[in-house]
Amino acid sequence: MIVVTTPTGQIGSKVLAGLVKAGEIVRAIARDPGRVEAPGSVEVIEGTHADPSVVARALEGAEAAFWCVPPDETMSAPAREYYLRFCRPLAEALPGSSVRRLVLVSSGGRGGPRDSGPIGAALEVEELLESTGVHLRALRCGYFMENLLSQVEMLRDRGIFAHPMKGDIAVPVCATRDIGARAVEILGDRSWTGQTGVGVHGPTHLTLNQMADVMTRVLGRPIRYQELSEEDFRSVLLGFGASEVYTRELIDLFRAMAGGLHDAQPRTPDSTTPTTFDSWCAETLWPAIA
Ligand SMILES: NC(=O)c1ccc[n+]([C@@H]2O[C@H](COP(=O)([O-])OP(=O)(O)OC[C@H]3O[C@@H](n4cnc5c(N)ncnc54)[C@H](OP(=O)(O)O)[C@@H]3O)[C@@H](O)[C@H]2O)c1
């Protein structure tokens, strides 16, 4: 039996569906079991994976687990503390549990600077979980295509999207469906051991300007990338209700990305995943904007 966290999330929902389709027995942890889209065969433990008692119940008799820290733009704690909150209960429960294999959602950048906001926090989580001795595959993902969904109104109404980063810096850009598929593949394979990172990089690196060009072509309307100053980015995020600390950490993340943080996990044939940005725009962004 395999435990799945964030079963209603972008990656977690695909992991849940993929494991069920593959005939695996699945137990999900969800704050609201009613929101979990799964056949009756999936057992749902109600609660959060930040709660040690929930984690202890969920791991009982499990052979493997999929772990993902849910982002929270209203978080009041620094990213490191926030991320560890969702992983310490697991780290404490693992040694006495039946779980032998763990797949963790992480980020590129291992070996790079630690002041990289949520990326540095994810890498600290990797180290914590490694210290338990569990067999671990950390999915070191690139920039999610789905990040653009938070800018749908700006794309629709003004034809722009914006980040505090130069438009000519290339980063790996991947779709969450490919991350989910990679997790399902690894969880269904009982033969691997040890601890290592697995890059999930999409088909190519892209700059934000190149992403604007693809969107222009696929959406059939002019789309422009706008580089924001950190101060303007901060005001925009705060205006949307993000917390001060989240905003600061995200600025650190973009600084680290601009500084080449993803170079620490170079692209390989294995880290190159199939969903193109063109096809993602046609299948996901276009309906969201239309
Ligand atoms: N965005 C990027 O470019 C990027 C790049 C590399 C790595 N990452 C990593 O990817 C991860 C995010 O993955 P994702 O996009 O799939 O996440 P997501 O869809 O944003 O996560 C939402 C899920 O988390 C659950 N959730 C929210 N708050 C919770 C809480 N307090 N306790 C328990 N569950 C909670 C939600 O459940 P409800 O149904 O209850 O709301 C939902 O299932 C992060 O760890 C991030 O560091 C992101």
Side-chain angles (χ1 to χ4, degrees):
M1 186 265 295
I2 300 173
V3 174
V4 174
T5 60
T6 64
T8 59
Q10 301 192 110
I11 306 169
S13 60
K14 285 136 190 150
V15 173
L16 183 74
L19 290 174
V20 169
K21 192 163 168 225
E24 298 287 356
I25 301 169
V26 179
R27 180 184 287 157
I29 304 177
R31 295 187 294 184
D32 178 357
R35 296 194 58 215
V36 179
E37 272 183 43
S41 60
V42 173
E43 181 190 354
V44 184
I45 305 274
E46 184 170 346
T48 166
H49 47 307
D51 179 340
S53 68
V54 169
V55 172
R57 265 196 298 144
L59 297 195
E60 233 169 74
E63 55 163 315
F66 165 79
W67 223 255
C68 176
V69 175
D72 179 3
E73 62 273 11
T74 65
M75 71 187 191
S76 52
R80 177 183 178 278
E81 198 180 316
Y82 175 82
Y83 270 62
L84 287 171
R85 196 181 295 159
F86 285 90
C87 298
R88 267 202 203 97
L90 172 66
E92 277 158 23
L94 275 174
S97 82
S98 51
V99 172
R100 294 290 166 268
R101 293 173 302 119
L102 180 68
V103 173
L104 172 75
V105 176
S106 186
S107 289
R110 183 83 183 251
R114 277 304 159 95
D115 52 351
S116 48
I119 294 185
L123 299 176
E124 244 179 86
V125 162
E126 279 191 30
E127 286 170 359
L128 171 72
L129 294 172
E130 281 168 1
S131 72
T132 67
V134 71
H135 299 302
L136 177 69
R137 290 292 177 268
L139 302 177
R140 302 209 180 120
C141 308
Y143 173 100
F144 293 0
M145 295 179 190
E146 283 75 7
N147 293 342
L148 292 165
L149 295 175
S150 66
Q151 306 209 16
V152 156
E153 279 83 18
M154 253 186 6
L155 283 165
R156 184 176 46 223
D157 302 340
R158 296 170 53 202
I160 57 170
F161 71 107
H163 284 317
M165 190 169 94
K166 291 205 178 312
D168 60 357
I169 296 171
V171 294
V173 177
C174 62
T176 57
R177 74 173 76 136
D178 291 350
I179 306 171
R182 183 51 57 89
V184 169
E185 198 182 294
I186 297 171
L187 287 163
D189 175 0
R190 270 102 181 145
S191 66
W192 56 272
T193 55
Q195 301 178 331
T196 190
V198 174
V200 186
H201 290 153
T204 54
H205 280 44
L206 288 172
T207 67
L208 295 158
N209 288 334
Q210 287 170 330
M211 290 167 75
D213 291 343
V214 172
M215 285 189 262
T216 297
R217 183 158 33 80
V218 177
L219 302 177
R221 61 174 88 181
I223 300 290
R224 188 170 56 81
Y225 170 65
Q226 184 177 344
E227 182 190 347
L228 290 183
S229 69
E230 290 180 355
E231 200 40 52
D232 285 348
F233 181 70
R234 180 176 169 275
S235 307
V236 171
L237 283 196
L238 293 177
F240 279 111
S243 65
E244 187 70 57
V245 63
Y246 175 83
T247 306
R248 240 188 351 257
E249 301 269 7
L250 216 54
I251 287 172
D252 286 346
L253 181 153
F254 278 106
R255 270 190 206 156
M257 278 216 299
L261 174 118
H262 282 292
D263 299 347
Q265 183 80 42
R267 175 180 294 280
T268 64
D270 192 51
S271 76
T272 298
T273 48
T275 303
T276 63
F277 188 57
D278 284 66
S279 64
W280 182 84
C281 286
E283 290 161 27
T284 307
L285 188 59
W286 190 81
I289 281 183

